[in-house]
Amino acid sequence: MPDMLVPLYRSGEWKDRKAALAENGIAIRNAIAPERAPVVKWIYERFGDRWASEAECAFSKTPTTILVAQRGAEMLGFACFDTTALGFFGPTGVDEKQEGQGIGTALLIETLKAMQARGYAYGVIGGAGPVGFYERVVNAIAIPDSVPGIYADILRLPQDAE
Ligand SMILES: CC(C)(COP(=O)(O)OP(=O)(O)OC[C@H]1O[C@@H](n2cnc3c(N)ncnc32)[C@H](O)[C@@H]1OP(=O)(O)O)[C@@H](O)C(=O)NCCC(=O)NCCS
């Protein structure tokens, strides 16, 4: 899984999905501190303790660096930035039952726009799983020789939930 580079200054070319989702009752917004415990639990249950740990990091700042997708009070997905490294996008995930509605695309675009607003010219997708998804949605390109990248010496403990 390579890291991928995204030119944030080309955000004007990305197809906005947020408005279309809003018409279907799905909102994308920054998560706030009181949501920390339930949101981290939601992530832990679906995606394991490494991503939950990164979400904890995203919640440790004000404003937070985690966006959520919700329908009413129901959480549908999330995306983080500036967790494992500054300028990194991720992790991100959508509830399995909610995939394919454009939620992952909207979370990706809104989070990258938040990074651009912080002053970054480029974003890095750390350890990109669905490479084709990132290529297609935001013109990301794989960074040569980026495996295993920053995760090379990560501890793998017996209690890892992944
Ligand atoms: C990747 C993910 C966030 C996409 O969320 P989503 O809400 O289903 O995404 P969208 O509905 O906006 O877009 C889905 C599109 O991406 C495509 N896609 C999904 N996974 C893909 C992959 N691995 N490779 C290429 N395309 C992929 C779908 O086929 C779909 O294409 P379509 O628009 O032509 O139908 C979601 O599948 C997910 O949570 N996956 C598990 C966690 C994960 O891998 N996170 C990324 C870590 S870097």
Side-chain angles (χ1 to χ4, degrees), residues 39-156:
V39 167
V40 169
K41 182 166 182 275
W42 187 100
I43 295 169
Y44 173 77
E45 287 169 353
R46 288 161 181 79
F47 299 107
D49 58 6
R50 292 192 194 283
W51 289 12
S53 301
E54 290 179 294
E56 292 269 15
C57 172
F59 269 109
S60 70
K61 295 157 267 180
T62 305
T64 69
T65 56
I66 174 167
L67 283 76
V68 289
Q70 67 187 98
R71 184 187 292 109
E74 182 192 6
M75 179 165 164
L76 309 176
F78 75 100
C80 302
F81 68 98
D82 278 358
T83 62
T84 293
L86 294 179
F88 265 39
F89 168 89
T92 185
V94 171
D95 187 274
E96 229 173 33
K97 294 185 288 294
Q98 305 292 339
E99 285 182 325
Q101 301 176 64
I103 298 169
T105 297
L107 281 167
L108 172 63
I109 289 177
E110 292 311 308
T111 305
L112 292 174
K113 284 182 177 170
M115 293 177 69
Q116 185 183 23
R118 295 276 174 108
Y120 293 112
Y122 290 91
V124 174
I125 317 277
V131 166
F133 170 70
Y134 294 116
E135 285 173 343
R136 192 158 45 82
V137 178
V138 291
N139 312 106
I141 52 169
I143 299 174
D145 204 17
S146 61
V147 181
I150 199 169
Y151 313 98
D153 297 322
I154 198 164
L155 289 170
R156 298 190 190 285

Side-chain angles (χ1 to χ4, degrees), residues 7-14 116 121 138-139:
L8 301 177
Y9 51 83
R10 288 179 62 185
S11 63
E13 298 170 22
W14 304 337
Q116 185 183 23
V138 291
N139 312 106

